[in-house]
Amino acid sequence: MTVTVLQFGGSNCDRDAVRALEHLGIDAERRWHADGLPAETDGIVIPGGFSYGDYLRAGAMAARAPVMAEVRAAAADGTPVLGVCNGAQIGAEASLVAGAFTTNESARFQCEPVHLRVERADTPWTAAYDVGDVIRVPIAHGEGRFEIDADAYETLEADGRILFRYCDADGDVTDAANPNGSTGNVAGILGERETTAVLMPHPERATLPDVAASTDGQGILRAFA
């Protein structure tokens, strides 16, 4: 499998994503957005960073790049697509997933490890875990608060499209464990197909044992294996 890691002006986690994937034995290559997707790609990562300086809204400008029409088409065909942090914001702005990511409740940039509770274990992104498992993955964002209206949130829950929730070390989903004020403590969700997912925490920063305090993010990236 060869995974395409998109690169926008302001992306800063593209190399991290490639290195993490290659550590897991997955071929990966960076691709400048203006060059479009390769003729054949087995997976797509929209990485973290500050695309276009996060002007207007985080991810809003990158979401309108021509390559994102290609990403939407690939996602609709079942190609695995993962948006991480700024990639999650881009994915929401591009309607790959429901909802939006807005300014943290604290109104400040937050860079810290968080605990996530696995809500589903029957998707490509969570097959390495069991329901209720608690994993430790870092966040690094200023606009990571997941917002969605009440009816759409109920639909997300009813359709089983919530992958991860912020929790404490014991797996309890509490306000205190919610780092950014996200609705329902949501940290990661699915698109219309289970092969499309976005999350604010950084699994690529919890993959390499020589540099990471946790390797809990490996299971998420193994969806591309």
Side-chain angles (χ1 to χ4, degrees):
M1 177 174 277
T2 300
V3 176
T4 299
V5 179
L6 288 177
Q7 183 186 32
F8 294 93
S11 297
N12 65 11
C13 297
D14 43 308
R15 290 180 174 84
D16 294 346
V18 168
R19 186 179 176 195
L21 289 164
E22 290 180 340
H23 174 76
L24 298 175
I26 301 164
D27 290 335
E29 62 177 6
R30 291 189 299 138
R31 183 85 168 186
W32 181 244
H33 72 93
D35 295 332
L37 291 178
E40 294 185 9
T41 185
D42 300 310
I44 301 166
V45 173
I46 312 172
F50 301 91
S51 57
Y52 297 97
D54 280 348
Y55 293 118
L56 300 182
R57 297 180 307 277
M61 295 177 71
R64 286 151 180 79
V67 71
M68 291 306 298
E70 299 179 53
V71 173
R72 283 192 294 271
D77 285 341
T79 299
V81 177
L82 177 66
V84 176
C85 197
N86 189 229
Q89 296 159 343
I90 295 168
E93 289 280 347
S95 299
L96 285 172
V97 297
F101 294 93
T102 63
T103 303
N104 294 348
E105 197 169 51
S106 66
R108 62 183 179 85
F109 185 86
Q110 293 178 235
C111 183
E112 60 200 67
V114 297
H115 292 96
L116 308 177
R117 190 178 74 185
V118 177
E119 299 295 290
R120 287 186 58 179
D122 58 345
T123 77
W125 315 102
T126 54
Y129 314 112
D130 292 322
V131 172
D133 278 356
V134 176
I135 63 175
R136 190 168 181 258
V137 183
I139 59 169
H141 58 246
E143 297 180 52
R145 178 165 53 118
F146 179 68
E147 291 280 6
I148 192 168
D149 67 57
D151 289 343
Y153 177 72
E154 288 183 8
T155 299
L156 274 187
E157 287 201 299
D159 292 348
R161 287 160 61 187
I162 298 175
L163 281 179
F164 302 101
R165 295 184 197 271
Y166 298 109
C167 67
D168 63 23
D170 295 321
D172 295 323
V173 175
T174 65
D175 289 344
N178 190 340
N180 50 34
S182 288
T183 300
N185 283 51
V186 170
I189 59 172
L190 293 170
E192 292 187 2
R193 300 188 65 148
E194 292 183 356
T195 45
T196 298
V198 307
L199 68 159
M200 287 307 299
H202 286 268
E204 80 282 3
R205 297 186 185 181
T207 293
L208 302 173
D210 55 337
V211 297
S214 162
T215 58
D216 289 348
Q218 289 186 3
I220 298 169
L221 298 182
R222 287 193 189 279
F224 292 111

